[in-house]
């Protein structure tokens, strides 16, 4: 009898169908409300920044993979996610070349030089943002009060964190918490739309794309430390609600710190990571020259991820073996 | 022919900062501008060549146990000469280089060449070795300094190179820019040398 | 058919077990029965080609495990065989006669409650069951068994054979538990029943055993998972916290088979396997042990297509066969046929550290690290992470969004660790560190002084 031509392979012989593409597209869907709100607030400028950022990220990824003679994987959507997240924390008026430089730094230096998706020790979008932020000559483009001076949005055009930094907590009385929560505040294109970011983030948690520990403990860490500062000196420091509802904290908790390649895996690692990000944010806001510290806090904690992956339950080492 | 090779190896095969990754502290610190890089490089060429010659000529007199201390004394004398000379005639560069001129004493390249080459080879070979390695080091400093200066300030040796509306990418002039550009250059060098 | 995709994340993701009543259909006796024996020493199989064997005759009287002939007939071939798992076997082919004669060495035991446990274990081994001899080949040297788990769950998500045995022989389960807890000298006994069969389990008269209802979710049917979940839990009651005891897990099908074999004095000759071809409900078939897969496929009427797969023991944890002549032994549980369009391909992509594998691992391994360490040949680190504890259930590779062949990587690490042998206690000490010297050699910077000089100077390393 003729032998059958069968395929032999190790187990398992089925797959759940989960793909990297799926994860990326879930993140893009989750960011869609914030994108729409950003475009409706800042008009075509916001659309220009978002589109150019995504395009730059994908073009740089394709080019560098061609240069490195690797398979081109822009279709998995991870470059698009990096570009979109980067765009959402920028002001709407930022010029194209700054977007391009940020994406080059993020995709080429922050991601592909380390080996591509999964091998990046830092979130590429944050690397890109940090590179343009510490470029002193470009600070004016990234300072929200200066950059957004020509927009009429119908709400108070003052960056709340800059007010806090310059004038102290006593000057914050004209910021309404409800308005802040509804996104009626100056800030990044999408990052300022707090409630829509929250909805998108909850969607990701529910779909299981990100682990719930990071956002929860990020917000807890922010609230706890800012609460301690606030209790010690209410005139100098703002309260926890203000800190959570301004700047990049919400987008940081759900999107910036949860990049899978640069966040821990084990539960206690996630808790420590989230708390560290939140606490470091408040330290930077209180004591650094920068008005918002979320990105630098996340970058700093990203570097500790290999250590946090070593935190695990002691009982996790299995011992019981069945007989027979 | 053999002596020629001692000279040329420092220009590519043993190119100090990129191929053997030595002397990184000054290369990160003084390459904000091409000019300071060049000044530093000339200082290193002088110290390296002279100390190699002296160490090579007295290599049989120095007891092995105290050789490092002996090398340091010789190197330090030349570094002091460089420092005083630049203070006298090139004061602006002396100010920009600051502490990094005295720190040439503990530069790994100079001590490394003294230990690995000058203390084992003849005077002429040592001189050529020091000259070659120093020249390669200067080239690298000027290259990195030019890249960082042109992107970070839009100038090269102080001459404007970019268009009028250019807003400098000052990231390159900061410390992280030094690390990033050094890393990228190192990667390109490795890629090129692997191909050849 | 089944999905681990959660319902918008609100319900936890799960891979449920098949649940249907499927009385086994008999597969006719094939022309040749092939038995595989894992001990390769030639003296173990004391047979020659042309010998006549009786049903129930032990073909490997010198071996540690029983190899019982499932039929009466002529030995037509004895050869070495490399199994799909990469291990070596001795294969014995028997051409069965239609008339069966039973080996006289087997005798019926009437009253189990008075029999000597050692005698019971020997009788179970004689009848061809390896479950107890796998624990201890010598029935006299029996370890202390702290908990005995009789499992009515199938290991494979499509499996129905064990459930069917529980459905059909629920009336004998009580007695089988009595027999086994006496034979295994177990202090406690648990009957693990999937939740969907709770109604049948309720009819079993309460005895010395404890009934636990197990959620019918993969991989709860694995013996290791049951032992961890239910064996350990029992042991820790009223005992020192750190004590981990021995848990013996036996399937209901085996337990009921032992009972009927010991009662009748007949050996085990048949086994129920579940067949599925990817579409439609799985179905049970009763085969003679040693039947090649081809005979089963002939009865089902399904012919595997070229470039498809024939999988034994489940699409999650089973192995793909390279030939349909592979025999189904007493450990066979199910056979699946996959069409070429269903064949899943895994990729050599980078891990993205998403952690999904860690959350699904039933034995709490750090799969993300294990996969990477194995990929880069860091097998010592795999050992410290407990790679040997992997039960190869396949869930990690099943959920991996990067489609990494995680089971393949871990199995590779396990085999290397096994080949390296037990950990060398002296490995920790005694290797002089020369890292600094070695790393400096290519730069020709600091060459160590010659040895004699070092000694003169009184330098110590």
């Amino acid at each position: 009898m003729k032998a059958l031509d069968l395929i032999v392979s190790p187990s398992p012989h089925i797959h759940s169908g989960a793909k990297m593409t799926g994860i990326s597209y879930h993140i893009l869907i989750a960011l869609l409300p914030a994108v729409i709100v950003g475009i409706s607030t800042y008009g075509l400028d916001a659309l220009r920044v978002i589109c150019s950022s995504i395009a730059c990220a994908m073009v740089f990824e394709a080019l560098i993979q061609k240069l490195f003679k690797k398979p081109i994987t822009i279709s998995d959507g991870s470059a698009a996610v990096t570009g979109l997240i980067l765009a959402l924390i920028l002001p709407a008026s930022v010029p194209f070349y700054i977007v391009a430089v940020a994406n080059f730094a993020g995709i080429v230096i922050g991601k592909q030089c380390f080996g591509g998706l999964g091998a990046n020790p830092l979130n590429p979008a944050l690397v890109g943002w940090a590179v343009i932020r510490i470029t002193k000559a470009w600070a004016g483009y990234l300072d929200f009060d200066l950059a957004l001076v020509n927009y009429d949005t119908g709400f108070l055009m003052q960056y709340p964190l800059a007010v806090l930094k310059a004038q102290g907590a006593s000057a914050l009385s004209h910021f309404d918490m409800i308005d802040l929560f509804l996104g009626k505040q100056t800030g990044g294109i999408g990052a300022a739309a707090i409630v829509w970011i929250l909805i998108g983030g909850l969607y990701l948690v529910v779909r299981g794309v990100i682990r719930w520990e990071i956002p929860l403990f990020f917000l807890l860490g922010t609230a706890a430390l800012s609460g301690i500062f606030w209790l010690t000196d209410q005139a100098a420091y703002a309260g926890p609600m203000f800190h959570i509802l301004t700047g990049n904290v919400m987008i940081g908790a759900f999107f910036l710190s949860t990049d899978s390649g640069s966040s821990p895996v084990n539960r206690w690692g996630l808790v420590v990571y989230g708390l560290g990000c939140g606490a470091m944010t408040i330290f930077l806001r209180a004591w650094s020259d920068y008005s918002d510290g979320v990105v630098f806090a996340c970058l700093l904690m990203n570097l500790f991820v290999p250590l946090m992956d070593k935190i695990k339950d002691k009982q996790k080492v299995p011992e019981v073996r069945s007989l027979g | 022919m053999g002596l020629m090779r001692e000279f040329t190896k420092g220009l590519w095969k043993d190119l100090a900062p990129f191929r053997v990754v030595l002397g990184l502290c000054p290369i990160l610190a003084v390459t904000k501008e091409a000019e300071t890089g060049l000044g530093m490089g000339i200082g290193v060429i002088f110290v390296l060549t002279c100390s190699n010659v002296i160490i090579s000529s007295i290599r049989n007199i120095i007891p092995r146990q105290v050789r490092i201390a002996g090398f340091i004394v010789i190197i330090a004398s030349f570094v002091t000469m460089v420092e005083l000379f630049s203070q006298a005639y090139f004061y602006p560069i002396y100010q920009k280089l600051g502490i990094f001129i005295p720190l040439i004493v503990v530069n790994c390249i100079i001590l490394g060449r003294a230990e690995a080459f000058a203390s084992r080879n003849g005077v002429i070979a040592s001189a050529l070795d020091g000259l070659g390695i120093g020249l390669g080091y200067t080239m690298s400093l000027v290259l990195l300094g030019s890249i960082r200066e042109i992107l970070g300030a839009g100038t090269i040796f102080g001459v404007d190179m970019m268009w009028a509306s250019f807003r400098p990418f000052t990231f390159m002039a900061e410390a992280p820019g030094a690390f990033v550009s050094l890393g990228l250059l190192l990667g390109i060098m490795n890629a090129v040398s692997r191909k050849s | 058919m089944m999905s681990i995709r959660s319902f918008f994340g609100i319900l936890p993701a799960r891979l449920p077990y098949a649940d249907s009543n499927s009385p086994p259909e008999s597969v006719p006796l094939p022309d040749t029965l092939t038995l595989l024996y894992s001990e390769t020493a030639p003296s173990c199989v004391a047979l020659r080609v042309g010998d006549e064997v009786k049903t129930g005759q032990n073909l490997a009287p010198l071996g540690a495990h029983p190899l019982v002939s499932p039929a009466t007939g002529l030995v037509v071939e004895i050869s070495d065989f490399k199994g799909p798992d990469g291990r070596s076997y001795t294969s014995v082919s028997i051409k069965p006669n239609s008339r069966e004669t039973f080996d006289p060495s087997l005798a019926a035991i009437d009253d189990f409650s008075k029999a000597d446990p050692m005698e019971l274990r020997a009788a179970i081994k004689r009848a061809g069951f390896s479950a107890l001899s796998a624990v201890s080949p010598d029935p006299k040297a029996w370890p202390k068994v702290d908990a005995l788990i009789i499992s009515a769950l199938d290991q494979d998500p499509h499996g129905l054979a064990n459930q069917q045995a529980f459905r059909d022989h629920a009336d004998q389960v009580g007695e089988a538990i009595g027999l086994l807890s006496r034979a295994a000298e177990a202090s406690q006994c648990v009957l693990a029943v999937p939740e969907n069969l709770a109604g049948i389990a309720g009819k079993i008269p309460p005895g010395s055993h404890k009934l636990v209802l197990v959620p019918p979710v993969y991989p709860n049917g694995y013996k290791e998972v049951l032992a961890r979940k239910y064996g350990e839990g029992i042991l820790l009651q009223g005992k020192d916290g750190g004590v981990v005891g021995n848990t013996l897990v036996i399937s209901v099908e085996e337990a009921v088979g032992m009972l009927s074999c010991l009662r009748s004095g007949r050996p085990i000759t048949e086994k129920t396997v579940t067949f599925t071809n990817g579409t439609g409900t799985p179905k049970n078939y009763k085969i003679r042990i040693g039947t090649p897969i081809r005979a089963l496929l002939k009865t089902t009427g399904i012919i595997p297509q070229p470039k498809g797969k024939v999988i034994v023991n489940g699409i999650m944890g089973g192995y793909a066969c390279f030939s349909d002549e592979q025999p189904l032994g007493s450990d066979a549980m199910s056979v699946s046929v996959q069409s070429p369009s269903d064949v899943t391909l895994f990729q050599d992509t980078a891990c993205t550290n998403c952690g999904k594998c860690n959350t699904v691992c039933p034995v709490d391994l750090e799969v993300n690290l294990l996969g990477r360490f194995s990929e880069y040949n860091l097998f010592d680190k795999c050992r410290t992470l407990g790679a040997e504890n992997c039960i190869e259930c396949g869930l990690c590779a099943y959920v991996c969004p990067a489609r990494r062949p995680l089971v393949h990587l871990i199995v590779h690490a396990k085999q290397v660790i096994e080949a390296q042998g037990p950990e060398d206690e002296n490995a920790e000490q005694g290797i002089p560190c020369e890292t600094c010297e070695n790393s400096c050699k290519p730069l020709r910077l600091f060459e160590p002084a010659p040895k004699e000089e070092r000694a003169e100077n009184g330098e110590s390393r």
Side-chain angles (χ1 to χ4, degrees):
Chain A
M1 183 170 173
K2 198 173 155 258
L4 275 163
D5 186 13
L6 294 175
I7 287 187
V8 181
S9 74
S11 65
H13 306 284
I14 49 172
H15 192 271
S16 63
K19 287 181 198 154
M20 296 316 300
T21 322
I23 292 176
S24 303
Y25 290 167
H26 277 311
I27 299 176
L28 292 181
I29 290 168
L31 285 170
L32 206 56
V35 168
I36 292 169
V37 170
I39 292 172
S40 71
T41 311
Y42 297 109
L44 286 177
D45 269 351
L47 187 65
R48 174 184 62 83
V49 171
I50 290 170
C51 291
S52 59
S53 180
I54 294 177
C56 283
M58 293 176 80
V59 167
F60 285 136
E61 174 129 317
L63 286 179
I64 197 78
Q65 283 177 336
K66 198 148 182 68
L67 185 69
F68 287 175
K69 298 193 179 65
K70 284 203 214 162
I72 292 176
T73 57
I74 51 169
S75 59
D76 70 9
S78 63
V81 167
T82 301
L84 180 58
I85 289 179
L86 181 57
L88 292 186
I89 54 177
L90 291 174
S93 65
V94 67
F96 171 75
Y97 68 90
I98 291 186
V99 175
V101 168
N103 275 298
F104 180 84
I107 294 288
V108 176
I109 295 167
K111 185 173 161 193
Q112 292 297 338
C113 278
F114 287 97
L117 183 61
N120 50 318
L122 304 165
N123 185 344
L126 303 185
V127 173
W129 189 89
V131 164
I132 57 169
R133 186 70 188 81
I134 61 178
T135 299
K136 289 202 185 85
W138 298 350
Y141 293 119
L142 297 172
D143 182 315
F144 290 109
D145 284 333
L146 290 177
L148 300 177
V149 75
N150 293 325
Y151 291 88
D152 180 21
T153 53
F155 49 79
L156 187 64
M157 288 310 283
Q158 267 183 320
Y159 187 47
L161 288 168
V163 173
L164 173 66
K165 185 112 258 168
Q167 301 167 34
S170 51
L172 299 176
S173 52
H174 55 277
F175 287 108
D176 181 25
M177 288 296 167
I178 305 290
D179 278 354
L180 289 180
F181 179 66
L182 292 176
K184 292 181 180 173
Q185 58 167 311
T186 311
I189 293 169
I194 302 294
V195 63
W196 302 107
I197 290 286
L198 179 64
I199 289 170
L202 291 177
Y203 168 81
L204 286 190
V205 171
V206 164
R207 288 309 301 249
V209 175
I210 60 174
R211 307 275 290 274
W212 58 268
E213 287 94 340
I214 296 180
L216 179 69
F217 285 95
F218 192 121
L219 296 179
L220 270 182
T222 311
L225 196 65
S226 60
I228 294 169
F229 273 108
W230 182 61
L231 288 176
T232 54
D233 187 353
Q234 300 201 359
Y237 300 110
M241 275 315 278
F242 177 82
H243 275 294
I244 285 178
L245 295 179
T246 51
N248 290 332
V249 166
M250 201 56 89
I251 197 172
F254 285 100
F255 294 95
L256 304 184
S257 60
T258 51
D259 171 54
S260 69
S262 53
S263 59
V265 167
N266 296 322
R267 171 152 299 171
W268 289 106
L270 290 171
V271 171
V272 173
Y273 175 79
L275 284 175
C277 284
M280 198 51 72
T281 299
I282 297 301
F283 279 132
L284 288 170
R285 280 185 177 185
W287 294 335
S288 79
D289 283 347
Y290 296 100
S291 52
D292 196 359
V294 173
V295 175
F296 291 118
C298 292
L299 282 173
L300 190 67
M301 296 313 280
N302 279 344
L303 294 174
F304 288 102
V305 164
L307 280 181
M308 289 169 193
D309 268 338
K310 296 198 178 220
I311 309 173
K312 56 192 167 200
D313 298 344
K314 267 199 171 159
Q315 295 169 340
K316 270 214 151 184
V317 180
E319 279 177 54
V320 173
R321 303 284 288 153
S322 84
L323 301 164
Chain B
M1 195 60 212
L3 290 176
M4 204 55 211
R5 203 178 302 132
E6 302 298 352
F7 176 70
T8 52
K9 71 170 187 252
L11 301 181
W12 180 255
K13 197 170 135 270
D14 280 358
L15 188 58
F18 295 123
R19 304 303 303 278
V20 292
V21 200
L22 281 182
L24 286 191
C25 175
I27 208 170
L28 293 170
V30 305
T31 55
K32 195 168 170 179
E33 293 160 18
E35 197 184 2
T36 49
L38 184 63
M40 180 77 184
I42 291 169
V44 169
I45 293 179
F46 174 75
V47 174
L48 192 50
T49 313
C50 296
S51 67
N52 262 13
V53 168
I54 301 289
I55 289 166
S56 166
S57 53
I58 61 169
R59 66 183 189 277
N60 296 326
I61 308 169
I62 305 178
R64 200 174 167 78
Q65 287 82 353
V66 296
R67 64 191 189 280
I68 300 284
F71 298 162
I72 296 268
V73 168
I74 294 165
I75 294 165
S77 328
F78 287 110
V79 170
T80 313
M81 282 162 67
V82 168
E83 191 185 0
L84 293 176
F85 185 79
S86 60
Q87 201 171 358
Y89 296 103
F90 302 99
Y91 193 64
I93 290 187
Y94 168 78
Q95 273 194 318
K96 277 183 189 161
L97 288 176
I99 184 68
F100 291 99
I101 295 181
L103 280 181
I104 298 176
V105 177
V106 286
N107 195 320
C108 311
I109 300 175
I110 294 165
L111 201 56
R113 292 327 291 179
E115 164 75 15
F117 196 90
S119 64
R120 288 152 214 251
N121 289 288
V123 176
I124 297 172
S126 299
L128 286 172
D129 173 77
L131 208 57
I133 297 272
L135 210 57
Y137 189 63
T138 311
M139 272 165 37
S140 317
L141 284 173
V142 172
L143 175 67
L144 197 64
S146 313
I147 293 172
R148 286 182 63 196
E149 191 181 345
I150 206 162
L151 288 172
T155 59
I156 203 165
F157 287 106
V159 184
D160 254 323
M161 296 297 286
M162 304 301 252
W163 57 96
S165 63
F166 176 73
R167 296 287 291 267
F169 182 38
T170 48
F171 171 80
M172 294 303 273
E174 309 275 333
F179 280 102
V180 168
S181 44
L182 176 67
L184 289 179
L185 270 180
L186 210 59
I188 292 169
M189 292 270 182
N190 278 341
V192 170
S193 65
R194 205 173 295 164
K195 207 168 272 177
S196 58
Chain C
M1 177 177 58
M2 60 185 161
S3 164
I4 204 157
R5 173 77 61 78
S6 58
F7 176 73
F8 282 92
I10 295 157
L11 294 175
R14 39 203 261 147
L15 185 61
Y17 276 117
D19 171 27
S20 74
N21 189 1
S22 161
E25 188 184 315
S26 276
V27 173
L29 193 63
D31 296 339
T32 325
L33 295 171
T34 309
L35 303 174
L36 297 181
Y37 194 59
S38 61
E39 282 168 66
T40 45
S43 61
C44 284
V45 177
L47 280 177
R48 263 175 309 195
V49 174
D51 281 359
E52 192 142 340
V53 292
K54 297 192 180 78
T55 310
Q57 182 179 338
N58 192 355
L59 306 182
L62 299 172
H65 304 297
L67 179 70
V68 166
S69 171
T72 311
L74 276 177
V75 176
V76 290
E77 194 188 347
I78 298 174
S79 61
D80 288 334
F81 179 80
K82 198 91 169 168
D85 53 358
R87 291 172 199 281
S88 300
Y89 294 92
T90 305
S91 104
V92 179
S93 297
I94 296 166
K95 196 174 163 61
N97 288 341
S98 50
R99 273 190 53 214
E100 270 194 288
T101 36
F102 287 97
D103 192 75
S105 69
L106 296 165
I109 299 176
D110 296 322
D111 193 357
F112 304 127
S113 55
K114 296 217 173 60
D116 179 35
M118 201 263 287
E119 197 51 49
L120 281 177
R121 290 196 289 270
I124 287 171
K125 186 178 170 183
R126 271 203 301 279
F129 292 95
S130 56
L132 298 184
S133 61
V135 177
S136 157
D138 182 8
K140 285 171 198 154
W142 185 248
K144 185 174 173 296
V145 172
D146 299 280
L148 170 74
I149 298 182
I150 309 286
S151 158
L153 285 98
D154 286 281
Q155 184 178 308
D156 162 21
H158 285 309
L160 287 173
N162 204 14
Q163 287 184 41
Q164 196 61 37
F166 188 67
R167 282 177 206 269
D168 294 348
H169 305 290
D171 49 331
Q172 299 171 25
V173 170
E175 259 181 293
I177 290 171
L179 161 68
L180 270 166
S181 46
R182 185 158 178 80
E185 297 176 62
S187 39
Q188 278 153 313
C189 182
V190 180
L191 177 62
V193 176
E195 277 167 0
N196 52 316
L197 296 182
I200 302 171
K203 289 177 194 152
I204 298 171
S208 57
H209 67 272
K210 183 181 150 194
L211 177 72
V212 290
L213 293 178
V214 182
V217 178
Y218 187 81
N220 283 351
Y222 270 84
K223 291 177 171 179
E224 288 86 349
V225 177
L226 287 169
R228 276 169 65 80
K229 274 195 175 167
Y230 303 101
E232 197 183 9
I234 292 164
L235 286 177
L236 293 182
Q237 279 173 11
K239 284 208 170 191
D240 297 344
V243 176
V244 178
N246 293 328
T247 310
L248 177 65
V249 186
I250 289 177
S251 69
V252 162
E253 194 189 2
E254 251 179 324
V256 172
M258 287 174 191
L259 181 77
S260 65
C261 285
L262 259 60
R263 249 213 198 121
S264 59
R266 295 274 166 93
I268 176 174
T269 56
E270 286 183 325
K271 176 83 183 75
T272 310
V273 295
T274 313
F275 176 81
T276 169
N277 67 341
T279 55
T281 37
K283 202 169 171 331
N284 279 331
Y285 289 89
K286 190 159 265 188
I287 55 153
R288 191 64 74 101
I289 288 170
T291 302
I293 293 175
R294 191 193 300 148
L296 173 67
L297 294 177
K298 205 172 159 191
T299 312
T300 61
I302 285 168
I303 301 156
Q305 296 163 33
K307 306 282 177 210
K309 275 186 191 174
V310 173
I311 302 153
V312 176
N313 285 353
I315 49 174
M316 287 297 283
Y319 53 88
C321 299
F322 41 77
S323 151
D324 62 351
E325 287 178 48
Q326 169 89 19
L328 295 166
S330 57
D331 56 349
M333 293 174 286
S334 70
V335 174
S336 317
V337 172
Q338 254 184 353
S339 61
S341 58
D342 291 341
V343 168
T344 306
L345 293 177
F346 289 87
Q347 299 167 347
D348 179 27
T349 44
C351 172
T352 61
N353 214 28
C354 68
K356 291 210 164 35
C357 45
N358 287 22
T359 50
V360 294
C361 182
V363 288
D364 291 339
L365 291 175
E366 289 190 89
V367 188
N368 59 334
L369 296 180
L370 274 175
R372 275 180 273 183
F373 287 152
S374 171
E375 196 176 354
Y376 292 101
N377 295 345
L378 301 169
F379 300 113
D380 286 347
K381 294 198 171 186
C382 293
R383 191 197 289 263
T384 54
L385 286 176
E388 311 99 285
N389 290 313
C390 173
I391 61 173
E392 297 168 33
C393 69
L395 272 177
C396 45
Y398 179 74
V399 299
C400 180
R403 295 200 168 218
R404 281 163 66 78
L406 287 166
V407 177
H408 193 174
L409 291 168
I410 297 175
V411 169
H412 176 53
K414 276 168 80 171
Q415 290 185 349
V416 172
I417 291 170
E418 198 183 310
Q420 282 173 350
E423 210 160 340
D424 189 4
E425 284 176 15
N426 299 326
E428 291 277 314
Q429 37 173 310
I431 300 170
C433 171
E434 289 177 349
T435 314
C436 48
E437 276 180 22
N438 289 338
S439 62
C440 254
K441 262 178 202 156
L443 306 184
R444 305 184 306 281
L445 283 184
F446 301 102
E447 281 170 23
K451 279 231 169 70
E452 315 84 68
E453 200 176 332
R454 235 186 243 160
E456 273 171 32
N457 299 341
E459 280 179 40
S460 59
R461 293 190 72 183

